[in-house]
Amino acid sequence: MIQKTFLMVKPDGVQRSIIGEVISRFEKKGFQLVGAKLMHISQELAETHYGEHKEKPFFGELVKFITSGPVFAMVWEGENVISVSRQMVGKTNPQEALPGTIRGDYGLIVDKNIIHGSDSPESAEREISLFFESEELTFYKKDADAWIY
Ligand code: RTP
Ligand code: MG
């Protein structure tokens, strides 16, 4: 099933210059980038985005971290992109994330785990509309033949 999901390079990933690496992995897998922007997350957006964790002991630190510097917000489209991209992201704790996953290859601690990915179709829809206006998303067909000289 063709789906859309919300993926975001967190402030640590931006600081460590791995935006390109992250984009490259999803592109090579076969997914299509349909929206992207570098932005600062406001306190209010952070609290809404991570609202499900409001009661958790790490909520304050999580909001502080995600608003601490620019993030790279993206919408990706493709076959089963929600669950497949979560597999490519890896487990929440980078020490448990398998090598070959983004967190497994680049992360070391749970509160700086490089990337966020929507965890269900409901989250994907909610998060895409929180971060993007519909005019910011682009749709196009890939036509390789037209670009080979
Ligand atoms: P994310 O939402 O950021 O993609 O991460 P996730 O689904 O893999 O994990 P989730 O349970 O939604 O947790 C959100 C973020 O909170 C931080 N966290 N810290 N100190 C802790 O035990 C702890 N647990 C979670 C992580 O940064 C996680 O990405
Ligand atoms: Mg989550």
Side-chain angles (χ1 to χ4, degrees), residues 1-33:
M1 194 201 340
I2 300 288
Q3 302 174 322
K4 279 196 268 299
T5 198
F6 176 69
L7 296 163
M8 172 173 72
V9 181
K10 295 182 180 182
D12 55 333
V14 174
Q15 291 290 327
R16 291 176 54 195
S17 306
I18 51 180
I19 295 174
E21 171 67 27
V22 168
I23 291 176
S24 185
R25 287 183 179 221
F26 294 113
E27 274 192 327
K28 286 175 186 161
K29 183 71 176 171
F31 295 129
Q32 188 175 356
L33 184 62

CSV table of all heavy atoms in Angstrom, one decimal, residues 1-33:
chain,number,residue,atom,x,y,z
A,1,MET,N,0.8,-1.2,0.0
A,1,MET,CA,0.0,0.0,0.0
A,1,MET,C,0.9,1.3,0.0
A,1,MET,O,1.8,1.4,0.8
A,1,MET,CB,-0.9,0.0,1.3
A,1,MET,CG,-2.0,1.0,1.2
A,1,MET,SD,-2.7,1.5,2.8
A,1,MET,CE,-2.2,0.2,3.9
A,2,ILE,N,0.6,2.2,-0.9
A,2,ILE,CA,1.4,3.4,-0.9
A,2,ILE,C,0.9,4.3,0.2
A,2,ILE,O,-0.3,4.6,0.4
A,2,ILE,CB,1.1,4.2,-2.3
A,2,ILE,CG1,1.5,3.3,-3.5
A,2,ILE,CG2,1.9,5.5,-2.2
A,2,ILE,CD1,3.0,3.2,-3.6
A,3,GLN,N,1.9,4.7,1.0
A,3,GLN,CA,1.6,5.6,2.2
A,3,GLN,C,2.6,6.8,2.2
A,3,GLN,O,3.5,6.8,1.4
A,3,GLN,CB,1.9,4.8,3.5
A,3,GLN,CG,1.1,3.5,3.6
A,3,GLN,CD,1.6,2.7,4.9
A,3,GLN,OE1,2.8,2.7,5.2
A,3,GLN,NE2,0.7,2.1,5.6
A,4,LYS,N,2.3,7.7,3.1
A,4,LYS,CA,3.2,8.8,3.4
A,4,LYS,C,3.6,8.8,4.8
A,4,LYS,O,2.7,8.4,5.7
A,4,LYS,CB,2.5,10.2,3.1
A,4,LYS,CG,2.6,10.5,1.6
A,4,LYS,CD,2.3,12.0,1.4
A,4,LYS,CE,0.8,12.3,1.2
A,4,LYS,NZ,0.2,11.6,0.0
A,5,THR,N,4.8,9.2,5.2
A,5,THR,CA,5.2,9.2,6.6
A,5,THR,C,6.0,10.5,6.9
A,5,THR,O,6.5,11.1,5.9
A,5,THR,CB,6.0,8.0,7.0
A,5,THR,OG1,5.9,7.9,8.4
A,5,THR,CG2,7.4,8.0,6.5
A,6,PHE,N,6.1,10.8,8.2
A,6,PHE,CA,6.8,11.9,8.6
A,6,PHE,C,8.1,11.5,9.2
A,6,PHE,O,8.1,10.7,10.2
A,6,PHE,CB,6.0,12.7,9.6
A,6,PHE,CG,6.8,13.9,10.2
A,6,PHE,CD1,7.1,15.0,9.4
A,6,PHE,CD2,7.2,13.9,11.6
A,6,PHE,CE1,7.8,16.1,10.0
A,6,PHE,CE2,7.9,14.9,12.1
A,6,PHE,CZ,8.2,16.0,11.3
A,7,LEU,N,9.3,11.9,8.7
A,7,LEU,CA,10.6,11.6,9.2
A,7,LEU,C,11.3,12.9,9.5
A,7,LEU,O,11.1,13.9,8.8
A,7,LEU,CB,11.4,10.8,8.2
A,7,LEU,CG,10.8,9.4,7.9
A,7,LEU,CD1,11.4,8.8,6.7
A,7,LEU,CD2,11.1,8.4,9.1
A,8,MET,N,12.1,12.9,10.6
A,8,MET,CA,12.7,14.2,11.0
A,8,MET,C,14.1,13.9,11.5
A,8,MET,O,14.3,13.2,12.5
A,8,MET,CB,11.9,14.9,12.0
A,8,MET,CG,12.5,16.1,12.7
A,8,MET,SD,11.3,16.9,13.7
A,8,MET,CE,11.2,15.8,15.1
A,9,VAL,N,15.1,14.6,10.9
A,9,VAL,CA,16.5,14.5,11.5
A,9,VAL,C,16.5,15.5,12.7
A,9,VAL,O,16.1,16.6,12.6
A,9,VAL,CB,17.6,15.0,10.5
A,9,VAL,CG1,18.9,14.9,11.1
A,9,VAL,CG2,17.5,14.1,9.2
A,10,LYS,N,16.8,14.9,13.9
A,10,LYS,CA,16.7,15.7,15.1
A,10,LYS,C,17.9,16.6,15.2
A,10,LYS,O,18.9,16.5,14.4
A,10,LYS,CB,16.7,14.7,16.3
A,10,LYS,CG,15.4,13.8,16.3
A,10,LYS,CD,15.4,12.9,17.6
A,10,LYS,CE,14.1,12.1,17.6
A,10,LYS,NZ,14.0,11.2,18.8
A,11,PRO,N,18.0,17.5,16.2
A,11,PRO,CA,19.1,18.5,16.3
A,11,PRO,C,20.5,17.9,16.3
A,11,PRO,O,21.4,18.4,15.8
A,11,PRO,CB,18.8,19.2,17.6
A,11,PRO,CG,17.3,19.2,17.8
A,11,PRO,CD,16.9,17.8,17.2
A,12,ASP,N,20.6,16.7,16.9
A,12,ASP,CA,21.9,16.0,17.0
A,12,ASP,C,22.4,15.6,15.6
A,12,ASP,O,23.5,15.7,15.2
A,12,ASP,CB,21.9,14.9,18.0
A,12,ASP,CG,20.9,13.8,17.7
A,12,ASP,OD1,19.8,14.2,17.1
A,12,ASP,OD2,21.1,12.7,18.1
A,13,GLY,N,21.4,15.1,14.8
A,13,GLY,CA,21.7,14.7,13.4
A,13,GLY,C,22.1,15.9,12.5
A,13,GLY,O,23.0,15.8,11.7
A,14,VAL,N,21.4,17.0,12.7
A,14,VAL,CA,21.8,18.2,12.0
A,14,VAL,C,23.2,18.7,12.4
A,14,VAL,O,24.0,18.9,11.5
A,14,VAL,CB,20.7,19.3,12.2
A,14,VAL,CG1,21.1,20.6,11.5
A,14,VAL,CG2,19.3,18.9,11.7
A,15,GLN,N,23.4,18.7,13.7
A,15,GLN,CA,24.7,19.2,14.2
A,15,GLN,C,25.9,18.3,13.7
A,15,GLN,O,27.0,18.7,13.4
A,15,GLN,CB,24.8,19.2,15.7
A,15,GLN,CG,23.9,20.2,16.4
A,15,GLN,CD,24.5,21.6,16.1
A,15,GLN,OE1,25.7,21.8,16.1
A,15,GLN,NE2,23.6,22.6,16.0
A,16,ARG,N,25.6,17.0,13.5
A,16,ARG,CA,26.6,16.1,13.1
A,16,ARG,C,26.7,15.9,11.6
A,16,ARG,O,27.4,15.0,11.1
A,16,ARG,CB,26.4,14.7,13.8
A,16,ARG,CG,26.6,14.8,15.3
A,16,ARG,CD,26.3,13.6,16.0
A,16,ARG,NE,27.0,12.4,15.4
A,16,ARG,CZ,26.7,11.2,15.7
A,16,ARG,NH1,25.7,10.9,16.5
A,16,ARG,NH2,27.4,10.2,15.1
A,17,SER,N,25.9,16.7,10.8
A,17,SER,CA,26.0,16.7,9.4
A,17,SER,C,25.7,15.4,8.7
A,17,SER,O,26.3,15.0,7.8
A,17,SER,CB,27.4,17.2,8.9
A,17,SER,OG,27.8,18.4,9.5
A,18,ILE,N,24.6,14.8,9.2
A,18,ILE,CA,24.2,13.5,8.6
A,18,ILE,C,22.8,13.6,7.9
A,18,ILE,O,22.2,12.6,7.6
A,18,ILE,CB,24.3,12.3,9.5
A,18,ILE,CG1,23.6,12.5,10.8
A,18,ILE,CG2,25.7,11.9,9.7
A,18,ILE,CD1,23.7,11.3,11.8
A,19,ILE,N,22.4,14.9,7.6
A,19,ILE,CA,21.1,15.0,6.9
A,19,ILE,C,21.2,14.3,5.5
A,19,ILE,O,20.3,13.5,5.1
A,19,ILE,CB,20.8,16.5,6.6
A,19,ILE,CG1,20.5,17.3,7.9
A,19,ILE,CG2,19.6,16.7,5.7
A,19,ILE,CD1,20.3,18.8,7.7
A,20,GLY,N,22.3,14.5,4.8
A,20,GLY,CA,22.5,13.9,3.5
A,20,GLY,C,22.5,12.4,3.6
A,20,GLY,O,21.9,11.8,2.7
A,21,GLU,N,23.2,11.9,4.6
A,21,GLU,CA,23.2,10.4,4.7
A,21,GLU,C,21.8,9.8,4.9
A,21,GLU,O,21.5,8.8,4.3
A,21,GLU,CB,24.1,10.1,5.9
A,21,GLU,CG,24.2,8.7,6.4
A,21,GLU,CD,24.8,7.7,5.4
A,21,GLU,OE1,25.7,8.2,4.6
A,21,GLU,OE2,24.4,6.5,5.4
A,22,VAL,N,21.1,10.5,5.7
A,22,VAL,CA,19.7,10.0,6.0
A,22,VAL,C,18.9,10.1,4.7
A,22,VAL,O,18.2,9.1,4.4
A,22,VAL,CB,19.1,10.9,7.2
A,22,VAL,CG1,17.6,10.6,7.3
A,22,VAL,CG2,19.8,10.6,8.5
A,23,ILE,N,18.9,11.2,4.0
A,23,ILE,CA,18.1,11.3,2.8
A,23,ILE,C,18.6,10.2,1.8
A,23,ILE,O,17.7,9.6,1.2
A,23,ILE,CB,18.4,12.7,2.1
A,23,ILE,CG1,17.7,13.8,3.0
A,23,ILE,CG2,17.8,12.7,0.7
A,23,ILE,CD1,17.9,15.2,2.5
A,24,SER,N,19.9,10.0,1.7
A,24,SER,CA,20.4,9.1,0.8
A,24,SER,C,19.9,7.7,1.0
A,24,SER,O,19.5,6.9,0.1
A,24,SER,CB,21.9,9.1,0.9
A,24,SER,OG,22.5,8.3,0.0
A,25,ARG,N,19.8,7.3,2.3
A,25,ARG,CA,19.3,5.9,2.6
A,25,ARG,C,17.9,5.7,2.1
A,25,ARG,O,17.6,4.7,1.6
A,25,ARG,CB,19.4,5.7,4.1
A,25,ARG,CG,20.8,5.5,4.6
A,25,ARG,CD,20.8,5.2,6.1
A,25,ARG,NE,22.2,5.0,6.5
A,25,ARG,CZ,22.6,4.1,7.3
A,25,ARG,NH1,21.7,3.2,7.9
A,25,ARG,NH2,23.9,3.9,7.7
A,26,PHE,N,17.0,6.7,2.4
A,26,PHE,CA,15.6,6.5,2.0
A,26,PHE,C,15.4,6.6,0.5
A,26,PHE,O,14.6,5.9,-0.1
A,26,PHE,CB,14.7,7.5,2.7
A,26,PHE,CG,14.7,7.3,4.2
A,26,PHE,CD1,15.2,8.2,5.1
A,26,PHE,CD2,14.1,6.1,4.7
A,26,PHE,CE1,15.2,7.9,6.5
A,26,PHE,CE2,14.1,5.8,6.1
A,26,PHE,CZ,14.6,6.8,7.0
A,27,GLU,N,16.2,7.5,-0.1
A,27,GLU,CA,16.2,7.6,-1.6
A,27,GLU,C,16.6,6.3,-2.3
A,27,GLU,O,16.0,5.8,-3.2
A,27,GLU,CB,17.2,8.7,-2.1
A,27,GLU,CG,16.6,10.1,-2.1
A,27,GLU,CD,17.5,11.0,-2.9
A,27,GLU,OE1,18.7,10.9,-2.9
A,27,GLU,OE2,16.9,11.9,-3.5
A,28,LYS,N,17.7,5.7,-1.8
A,28,LYS,CA,18.2,4.5,-2.4
A,28,LYS,C,17.3,3.3,-2.1
A,28,LYS,O,17.3,2.4,-2.9
A,28,LYS,CB,19.6,4.2,-1.8
A,28,LYS,CG,20.7,5.1,-2.3
A,28,LYS,CD,22.0,4.7,-1.6
A,28,LYS,CE,23.1,5.7,-2.1
A,28,LYS,NZ,24.2,5.7,-1.1
A,29,LYS,N,16.6,3.3,-1.0
A,29,LYS,CA,15.6,2.3,-0.8
A,29,LYS,C,14.5,2.3,-1.8
A,29,LYS,O,13.9,1.2,-2.1
A,29,LYS,CB,15.0,2.4,0.6
A,29,LYS,CG,14.1,1.4,1.1
A,29,LYS,CD,14.8,0.1,1.4
A,29,LYS,CE,13.8,-1.0,1.9
A,29,LYS,NZ,14.5,-2.3,2.0
A,30,GLY,N,14.2,3.5,-2.4
A,30,GLY,CA,13.2,3.5,-3.4
A,30,GLY,C,12.0,4.5,-3.0
A,30,GLY,O,11.0,4.6,-3.7
A,31,PHE,N,12.1,5.1,-1.8
A,31,PHE,CA,11.1,6.0,-1.4
A,31,PHE,C,11.3,7.4,-2.1
A,31,PHE,O,12.4,7.7,-2.5
A,31,PHE,CB,11.1,6.2,0.1
A,31,PHE,CG,10.7,4.9,0.8
A,31,PHE,CD1,11.5,4.4,1.9
A,31,PHE,CD2,9.6,4.2,0.5
A,31,PHE,CE1,11.2,3.2,2.5
A,31,PHE,CE2,9.3,3.0,1.1
A,31,PHE,CZ,10.1,2.5,2.2
A,32,GLN,N,10.2,8.1,-2.1
A,32,GLN,CA,10.2,9.4,-2.8
A,32,GLN,C,10.0,10.5,-1.8
A,32,GLN,O,9.1,10.5,-1.0
A,32,GLN,CB,9.1,9.5,-3.8
A,32,GLN,CG,9.2,10.7,-4.7
A,32,GLN,CD,8.1,10.6,-5.8
A,32,GLN,OE1,7.4,9.6,-5.9
A,32,GLN,NE2,8.0,11.7,-6.5
A,33,LEU,N,10.9,11.5,-1.8
A,33,LEU,CA,10.8,12.7,-0.9
A,33,LEU,C,9.8,13.6,-1.5
A,33,LEU,O,9.9,14.1,-2.7
A,33,LEU,CB,12.2,13.4,-0.9
A,33,LEU,CG,12.3,14.6,0.1
A,33,LEU,CD1,12.1,14.2,1.5
A,33,LEU,CD2,13.7,15.2,-0.1
